[in-house]
Amino acid sequence: MPGATPPLLRVAIVGGGPGGLSSAIALSKLENVEVTIYEQARELREIGAGIQIGYNCWKVLELLGAEADVKGHVQETILQRNGLNGDVLGERTSFAVEPRYRGQRVRRTRLQAALIAKVPPGVIKLRKRLASLQNIEGGGTRLVFEDGEEVVADLVIGGDGIRSAVRANVFPEHAIKFTGRTIWRVIIPKSLIVDIPEMTVSTAWWHGPAGHFYNCLVDDPSETPEDKQMWEIAVHNVVPAATVKEKRFSWGIPATNERVESHFTEYDSRVRKALSRVPEGQWKEFSSFSGPRLEKVVAWDKVVLIGDASHPLTGAFGSGAAFAMQDSWILAQAIDYTRSSSQPLASALATFDSIRSPYYLRMYEHLDQQAKNVQDAKIKHPGQTFEESLDVKVKTFGGGPDNLSWIYGLNIKEVWEDFVKTSKGE
């Protein structure tokens, strides 16, 4: 019946990161949808440092109505450097878009606060660690939490990250493993390193034999006094995963200055000096995990995975938050679209999967090709010097917006509009 109120849809969102929060925002705009976020932490807080907000992310933030309060440093120029001597190997300027859509490095806490402000009151429940999911035949899904509480939802959204408990329940055969990459992140006052030559003049990647040093401002200089501006440092070290015997954690754990600096003793003196300026106790260590591609990101016709839970990639192209928020917005559109024609929830999830799974497949294929290019170069030139291998690496991995426009130049609203036109045979 035209204009009839759709039946109540009870949605349980597991995870309170960008994907979970944006899912709550987008779904709360739909008629007769009841949304609850279940987050295992005691409080919603971001562990890490900065986050990249580019054109693809700005476009979805606009759709969520959360873009106004996300402000950071506009990256005018990004340098690729030889980490051992500081030589500039390449330079890239900002993606040619309208000023409001230019890439910015932003404190993670600012993005989180902007999203939380748009979530309706009473939606977020903390200290809720998922223990199991149970498929109710002919009904919804029962969520059992470690504190003993049980709830039943018509739709479960797994936005609980790379170590997703939701994914483990619906795809128990899927496994992730440590990749061999360790990342240390910190945000420090710019004043601590401003005297180091060329360290604070631009965003830069300093590449070494087994990793890199990345540095960037995360505050808007026009709005933040210089003595209050903060600088992000993120350093990566990569080793064969099989050589690492200690237990690894994907979330941020404390790391000592000695542990971090020990991996960068051969780097340019400016890098070593910047690392030495970090106050003790500030570093957070993250271990990178990945797993094979999922053939589909929906299960039981009532569970869907978004963000890192749906695509445990070895790399997120600096757009992990954008991907999660795009998932959330597309999911809400698919539900609204199918409900308007009285189609079951399964149709909405199938629509979502048909749009997002091929997109993530393309990312897996791109990363596989990158790895192959590097390996082929090693086979072709077995005696490569560090400088020669670095040249291949920068050319292979330095692909910016120009040759990855399907990621960085994606307008998710246009993706949805194209789907609707195709479904109507236009």
Side-chain angles (χ1 to χ4, degrees):
M1 179 185 299
T5 300
L8 174 66
L9 181 66
R10 299 164 300 173
V11 181
I13 302 170
V14 181
L21 294 171
S22 54
S23 292
I25 296 168
L27 289 169
S28 294
K29 297 178 181 180
L30 306 187
E31 185 177 11
N32 213 19
V33 174
E34 183 181 280
V35 178
T36 305
I37 294 176
Y38 297 95
E39 166 57 44
Q40 66 182 16
R42 293 175 177 271
E43 60 178 334
L44 278 183
R45 60 189 180 92
E46 273 288 1
I47 297 176
I51 192 167
Q52 186 67 24
I53 307 293
Y55 175 86
N56 56 344
C57 198
W58 288 122
K59 296 303 288 188
V60 71
L61 281 170
E62 284 185 338
L63 295 170
L64 297 170
E67 80 285 358
D69 293 327
V70 181
K71 298 178 181 179
H73 167 62
V74 176
Q75 296 173 308
E76 300 280 356
T77 303
I78 299 175
L79 300 180
Q80 303 285 337
R81 290 180 177 270
N82 180 321
L84 303 189
N85 59 28
D87 287 352
V88 175
L89 307 173
E91 179 177 323
R92 177 166 59 82
T93 54
S94 295
F95 190 17
V97 294
E98 295 178 47
R100 60 178 172 158
Y101 296 132
R102 293 171 71 182
Q104 292 187 31
R105 197 69 182 176
V106 177
R107 298 193 201 193
R108 287 178 177 268
T109 51
R110 289 197 179 122
L111 173 62
Q112 183 187 59
L115 292 173
I116 290 174
K118 297 298 179 180
V119 175
V123 165
I124 303 172
K125 290 190 175 183
L126 301 174
R127 303 185 184 185
K128 291 294 179 183
R129 183 185 293 272
L130 183 69
S132 66
L133 293 178
Q134 299 171 6
N135 184 2
I136 302 173
E137 197 67 34
T141 300
R142 178 175 290 107
L143 296 89
V144 181
F145 297 95
E146 289 188 358
D147 63 3
E149 182 181 1
E150 298 184 9
V151 298
V152 175
D154 302 305
L155 171 63
V156 175
I157 300 175
D160 49 344
I162 192 78
R163 288 181 173 273
S164 172
V166 174
R167 186 182 64 232
N169 274 268
V170 296
F171 298 115
E173 72 287 351
H174 187 275
I176 61 172
K177 59 184 180 180
F178 177 53
T179 65
R181 180 179 296 272
T182 305
I183 307 104
W184 294 274
R185 299 186 177 109
V186 72
I187 290 183
I188 61 174
K190 178 182 175 181
S191 58
L192 292 179
I193 57 173
V194 71
D195 64 305
I196 302 175
E198 300 184 71
M199 183 55 63
T200 61
V201 295
S202 65
T203 298
W205 299 75
W206 304 64
H207 300 278
H212 67 256
F213 170 101
Y214 170 86
N215 60 298
C216 184
L217 186 66
V218 292
D219 290 314
D220 182 351
S222 67
E223 296 189 3
T224 308
E226 188 165 7
D227 62 343
K228 302 293 185 182
Q229 292 173 18
M230 301 296 284
W231 200 262
E232 173 188 9
I233 297 177
V235 290
H236 292 222
N237 180 249
V238 184
V239 299
T243 65
V244 179
K245 305 303 179 183
E246 62 184 347
K247 186 175 181 180
R248 290 298 185 136
F249 301 90
S250 57
W251 58 90
I253 61 173
T256 64
N257 286 32
E258 180 182 10
R259 178 174 173 83
V260 177
E261 292 175 41
S262 67
H263 298 286
F264 301 90
T265 57
E266 297 179 354
Y267 275 62
D268 184 275
S269 62
R270 289 165 290 184
V271 168
R272 288 183 278 116
K273 185 173 290 186
L275 293 176
S276 72
R277 301 284 180 82
V278 176
E280 189 67 63
Q282 297 299 304
W283 286 108
K284 288 290 186 291
E285 177 177 314
F286 302 79
S287 295
S288 173
F289 287 77
S290 70
R293 173 182 173 263
L294 293 164
E295 291 298 320
K296 58 180 182 178
V297 295
V298 299
W300 305 347
D301 288 337
K302 48 199 169 186
V303 179
V304 59
L305 302 175
I306 63 171
D308 287 347
S310 72
H311 59 279
L313 291 160
T314 55
F317 302 90
S319 285
F323 298 154
M325 291 188 286
Q326 289 170 345
D327 285 346
S328 302
W329 189 82
I330 286 289
L331 177 61
Q333 306 320 300
I335 291 173
D336 191 40
Y337 184 72
T338 52
R339 288 173 104 207
S340 67
S341 55
S342 301
Q343 297 180 57
L345 177 63
S347 295
L349 299 189
T351 294
F352 172 82
D353 191 62
S354 72
I355 295 172
R356 297 304 281 175
S357 278
Y359 189 60
Y360 290 128
L361 171 60
R362 189 174 180 182
M363 292 182 198
Y364 272 91
E365 291 174 339
H366 178 82
L367 291 173
D368 287 345
Q369 186 60 52
Q370 283 186 322
K372 183 177 184 301
N373 291 345
V374 171
Q375 192 61 34
D376 287 350
K378 289 181 179 179
I379 294 173
K380 187 175 181 180
H381 304 287
Q384 270 188 339
T385 64
F386 166 67
E387 286 73 17
E388 289 171 338
S389 64
L390 186 55
D391 182 62
V392 173
K393 180 179 180 180
V394 170
K395 288 179 179 177
T396 304
F397 290 91
D402 291 339
N403 60 8
L404 286 177
S405 59
W406 55 276
I407 290 180
Y408 302 115
L410 186 72
N411 182 340
I412 197 64
K413 184 178 180 181
E414 291 179 354
V415 171
W416 176 251
E417 290 172 345
D418 288 343
F419 167 80
V420 172
K421 288 179 181 178
T422 301
S423 67
K424 291 181 177 179
E426 297 179 9

